[in-house]
């Protein structure tokens, strides 16, 4: 029998020779990664050196010493106390809160409207389906900036002046300077109301968990929505009744040429939220439609065979399975909405870009520091949003048995 020991050596290569380093994939991978890191470090060093040299040439001091200096300018919408005597750091917080406010409101209303329009796109009602299709096709193909300008200049800026405000009753007024609504003022004893709201939220979470476990065990549904609404409304009302209703309302009143009191929703905020929600919800609608269509038709037929009507089939069978397809692209739309909110500067809404990367930068000249902070803030918002949506996506993922 022939000896097979020498058969393992490749043809043309002497047995026992080592593989050259330049042919080793692992070594080549490490080498090219090291070269890439070196290039990145070199480009960063050149950029920083160039920036430092330019700042010195223009006699601009680098650093964050400007943070505690007096801002000296007013901001039209502030969620916290702010005056022109406040610091630039305070102005940064005001702009950040305004950005987060737009993002939170926009995401909530975009999700609701997008799901409704997406479901309507698949409605058997011909008229409703065509209206939803027209909504999607029109709003998706008009640039967002043009939509913002339309809502701000063509719609809201054409409203009457304060003296001719549209009165909706109950202290609600609409004019060119915004929407004025009553502001609740909580007096002594209102702490019980706050506690009741917290207790109601905790009870709703516990109720939802129990209802899901009960349905998994018995197959019987529990009216979670109606009971949750009853808890959320009933408990705070009971707390108010027990404390003698220590809540009054600050009603907006016309004084001179403008309204005072109440809560003011400035037209810039309304136009920005309208534009972002309508534009982004058109994309979300198509994502929802695609997710629903990805669910096998046999699932709906099986649900109908079990006696579920169309609403129950959609809510209990189709949507839960479609969510695994919907959530990943939905995350991208949420991120786009927050980043697109930087267009607020076009209509004068005081978001982070307008206040901090605009006014503060122009007054201090600290371009590198201000722009770096602004970019890091939006990066952090995007990463946190992505992390939450990834967690939610993993939570709703189908688990195979």
């Amino acid at each position: 029998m022939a000896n097979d020991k020498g058969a393992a050596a490749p043809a043309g290569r002497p047995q026992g020779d080592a593989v050259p380093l330049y042919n080793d994939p692992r070594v080549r991978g490490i080498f090219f990664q090291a070269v890439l890191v070196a290039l990145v470090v070199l480009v960063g060093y050149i950029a920083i050196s160039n920036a430092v040299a330019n700042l010195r040439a223009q006699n601009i001091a680098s650093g964050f010493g400007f943070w505690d200096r007096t801002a000296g300018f007013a901001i039209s919408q502030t969620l916290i106390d702010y005056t022109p005597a406040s610091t630039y750091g305070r102005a940064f917080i005001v702009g950040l809160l305004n950005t987060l406010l737009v993002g939170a409101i926009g995401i909530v209303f975009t999700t609701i409207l997008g799901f409704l329009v997406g479901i309507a796109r698949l409605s058997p009602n011909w008229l409703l389906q065509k209206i939803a299709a027209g909504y999607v096709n029109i709003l998706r193909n008009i640039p967002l900036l043009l939509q913002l300008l339309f809502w701000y200049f063509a719609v809201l800026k054409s409203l009457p002046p304060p003296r001719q405000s549209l009165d909706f009753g109950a202290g609600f007024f609409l004019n060119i300077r915004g929407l004025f609504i009553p502001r609740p003022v909580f007096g002594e004893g209102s702490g019980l109301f706050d506690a009741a709201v917290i207790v109601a939220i905790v009870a709703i979470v516990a109720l939802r968990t129990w209802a899901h476990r009960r349905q998994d065990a018995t197959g019987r549904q529990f009216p979670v929505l109606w009971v949750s609404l009853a808890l959320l409304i009933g408990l705070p009302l009971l707390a108010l009744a027990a404390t003698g209703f220590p809540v009054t309302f600050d009603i907006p009143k016309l004084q001179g040429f403008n309204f005072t009191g109440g809560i003011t929703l400035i037209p810039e905020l309304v136009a920005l939220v309208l534009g972002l929600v309508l534009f982004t919800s058109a994309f979300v609608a198509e994502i929802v439609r695609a997710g629903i269509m990805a669910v096998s038709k046999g699932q709906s037929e099986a649900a109908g065979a079990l006696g579920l009507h169309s609403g129950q089939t959609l809510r209990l069978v189709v949507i839960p399975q479609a969510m695994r397809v919907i959530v990943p692209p939905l995350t991208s739309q949420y991120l786009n909405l927050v980043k697109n909110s930087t267009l607020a500067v076009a209509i004068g809404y005081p978001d982070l870009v307008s206040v901090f990367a605009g006014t503060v930068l122009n007054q201090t000249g600290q371009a590198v520091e201000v722009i770096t902070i602004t970019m890091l803030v939006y990066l952090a918002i995007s990463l946190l949003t992505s992390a939450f949506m990834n967690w939610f996506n993993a939570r709703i993922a189908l688990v195979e048995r």
Side-chain angles (χ1 to χ4, degrees):
M1 179 179 290
N3 191 351
D4 294 335
K5 291 183 178 180
R13 178 188 299 171
Q15 184 177 359
D17 284 2
V19 178
L21 291 178
Y22 58 82
N23 281 336
D24 190 336
R26 186 175 63 87
V27 174
R28 283 187 300 179
I30 294 175
F31 172 76
F32 286 121
Q33 291 181 46
V35 171
L36 178 61
V37 170
L39 288 175
V40 171
V41 171
L42 177 62
V43 171
Y45 174 77
I46 293 174
I48 293 174
S49 300
N50 186 50
V52 171
N54 290 334
L55 290 174
R56 287 176 179 173
Q58 299 177 19
N59 293 323
I60 298 176
S62 60
F64 299 92
F66 69 94
W67 195 262
D68 295 323
R69 296 208 300 263
T70 302
F73 63 90
I75 301 177
S76 59
Q77 175 182 292
T78 60
L79 299 180
I80 59 175
D81 293 334
Y82 175 87
T83 64
S86 300
T87 63
Y88 286 122
R90 191 76 170 178
F92 165 80
I93 296 175
V94 170
L96 175 60
L97 291 176
N98 287 344
T99 294
L100 295 177
L101 175 66
V102 170
I105 296 175
I107 286 175
V108 170
F109 284 102
T110 293
T111 304
I112 296 172
L113 185 58
F115 267 80
L116 291 177
V117 175
I119 294 172
R121 289 275 277 129
L122 300 173
S123 172
N125 185 299
W126 181 87
L127 180 60
L128 182 61
Q129 182 185 16
K130 295 304 179 183
I131 291 175
Y135 173 91
V136 170
N137 292 327
I138 291 174
L139 293 179
R140 280 202 311 170
N141 293 293
I142 298 177
L144 175 57
L145 180 59
L146 293 181
Q147 295 190 39
L148 294 178
L149 295 176
F150 168 79
W151 288 111
Y152 185 63
F153 290 105
V155 178
L156 297 177
K157 282 299 181 180
S158 62
L159 291 171
R163 290 183 179 274
Q164 286 80 42
S165 298
L166 302 176
D167 186 357
F168 299 104
F172 289 79
F173 301 92
L174 179 65
N175 56 55
I176 194 172
R177 297 187 179 178
L179 176 64
F180 298 84
I181 62 177
R183 178 173 64 89
V185 179
F186 295 92
E188 295 182 2
S190 59
L192 185 60
F193 171 82
D194 299 333
V197 173
I198 296 175
V199 170
I201 294 175
V202 173
I204 289 172
V205 173
L207 175 68
R208 186 173 181 273
T209 303
W210 171 82
H212 275 288
R213 291 177 178 174
R214 176 176 180 264
Q215 183 174 348
D216 290 339
T218 65
R220 291 183 296 173
Q221 297 181 43
F222 187 82
V224 177
L225 176 61
W226 298 112
V227 176
S228 299
L229 289 176
L231 288 172
L232 191 59
I233 297 174
L235 286 181
L237 284 178
L238 288 175
L240 290 176
T243 55
F245 288 94
V247 179
T248 59
F249 288 91
D250 182 15
I251 306 297
K253 297 179 181 178
L254 180 62
Q255 292 185 356
F257 296 100
N258 201 4
F259 280 84
T260 59
I263 298 175
T264 305
L265 301 180
I266 60 176
E268 292 81 8
L269 172 62
V270 177
L272 181 61
V273 171
L274 270 176
L276 289 173
V277 168
L278 294 178
F279 179 77
T280 312
S281 64
F283 291 89
V284 172
E286 286 299 277
I287 293 171
V288 172
R289 183 176 72 92
I292 293 176
M293 293 182 67
V295 178
S296 172
K297 189 177 180 181
Q299 296 291 314
S300 300
E301 294 173 348
L306 293 174
L308 300 180
H309 57 70
S310 58
Q312 291 176 319
T313 299
L314 184 66
R315 180 168 55 89
L316 300 175
V317 178
V318 177
I319 293 295
Q321 296 184 68
M323 288 299 291
R324 60 194 172 97
V325 179
I326 293 173
V327 170
L330 184 63
T331 303
S332 298
Q333 293 305 319
Y334 288 166
L335 299 178
N336 288 338
L337 186 147
V338 175
K339 290 181 286 188
N340 287 338
S341 68
T342 56
L343 291 174
V345 68
I347 57 175
Y349 178 73
D351 73 328
L352 182 63
V353 173
S354 176
V355 172
F356 194 64
T359 307
V360 172
L361 188 152
N362 290 331
Q363 292 189 180
T364 62
Q366 308 291 149
V368 175
E369 295 84 350
V370 170
I371 296 301
T372 300
I373 292 174
T374 305
M375 290 192 300
L376 289 176
V377 166
Y378 279 97
L379 176 62
I381 294 174
S382 297
L383 292 178
L384 289 174
T385 303
S386 297
F388 173 78
M389 293 301 293
N390 288 337
W391 168 82
F392 180 71
N393 188 37
R395 183 179 176 84
I396 65 172
L398 295 179
V399 179
E400 296 183 359
R401 297 180 179 178

